[in-house]
Amino acid sequence: MRIIAGEHRGRPLKAPKGDGTRPTTDRVRESLMSMVASARGGFEGARVLDAFAGSGALGLEALSRGASYALFCEKAPQAVSIVRDNIALLSYGANQAAVRKGDVFKAVLTPQQPFDLVFCDPPYAYAPSDVVQWLDSLAGSGLLEPDALISYEHDEKDSAALEEALVDTSFVIERHREFGLIAIDLLRWSPGSVCQLSD
């Protein structure tokens, strides 16, 4: 695993051992970053929440490409240590990167400023309705900037369930990509709008 682009391009990253985490492959990560860059016009100044961080590769990639801050949330102790090691390897200070140990669905997050980019790559056992409910709680708590982007990686077979879960929320699917059995949806939080189920 490595940083793909930006300030730390080519730098290797540590990854947790075993099957407790599911690292996003370099190929999928590169496609994801291209989607995000296109949707928000680059990464410059982004404030990132890397939920279910694993190795922290997504948030670290965003930092390498110009994000100003990333908060990494992870509950597996080994993965938390790996994230901290990777942050140290790339010499990011506390004003640029922080790690929160625990279940992000239950954590009380208190960033100095709201997030405008969220990477959400939960275990596939989580239902899309659970993820959308959590995102709604983030927005309701003032933790998302208007027009914030959320990258949600999930099992491709859950795509229809995600569309249903988004109905009557202010999150809309802006882009959808499939990589074999994996799907990534870019969601946009648009306060004041109401998502409808597509025909």
Side-chain angles (χ1 to χ4, degrees):
M1 185 178 294
R2 62 189 175 85
I3 296 291
I4 296 167
E7 178 186 9
H8 296 293
R9 178 179 180 179
R11 292 284 297 276
L13 296 174
K14 296 182 178 181
K17 296 179 180 179
D19 56 7
T21 59
R22 188 190 63 254
T24 303
T25 66
D26 284 359
R27 180 181 70 87
V28 173
R29 187 154 38 98
E30 188 165 12
S31 295
L32 166 58
M33 294 299 160
S34 179
M35 289 167 62
V36 171
S38 176
R40 73 180 306 277
F43 289 83
E44 200 65 35
R47 293 185 56 80
V48 179
L49 171 60
D50 189 349
F52 309 95
S55 67
L58 296 176
L60 292 168
E61 185 75 41
L63 286 171
S64 179
R65 295 173 185 235
S68 62
Y69 177 81
L71 175 63
F72 300 84
C73 290
E74 176 57 55
K75 68 179 182 179
Q78 183 198 20
V80 169
S81 295
I82 293 291
V83 174
R84 288 179 172 146
D85 287 348
N86 283 333
I87 289 171
L89 282 171
L90 300 180
S91 301
Y92 287 120
N95 63 327
Q96 296 170 291
V99 182
R100 178 68 180 270
K101 182 180 178 181
D103 186 340
V104 71
F105 277 12
K106 300 175 181 177
V108 177
L109 304 179
T110 55
Q112 292 184 344
Q113 298 177 41
F115 303 106
D116 53 25
L117 178 58
V118 178
F119 292 111
C120 184
D121 182 11
Y124 289 173
Y126 283 100
S129 57
D130 295 331
V131 174
V132 172
Q133 183 178 13
W134 170 69
L135 291 172
D136 225 14
S137 72
L138 285 185
S141 300
L143 296 179
L144 293 183
E145 289 280 6
D147 292 327
L149 271 181
I150 298 94
S151 164
Y152 176 27
E153 181 178 329
H154 57 88
D155 193 315
E156 187 278 329
K157 69 182 182 183
D158 286 337
S159 294
L162 173 60
E163 288 193 26
E164 292 178 5
L166 291 171
V167 171
D168 295 331
T169 73
S170 294
F171 295 92
V172 296
I173 297 176
E174 191 160 293
R175 302 187 187 196
H176 174 87
R177 288 282 306 277
E178 295 177 8
F179 306 86
L181 299 178
I182 296 171
I184 293 179
D185 283 278
L186 276 190
L187 311 178
R188 178 85 67 176
W189 183 50
S190 301
S193 67
V194 178
C195 182
Q196 302 293 333
L197 191 62
S198 59
D199 296 332

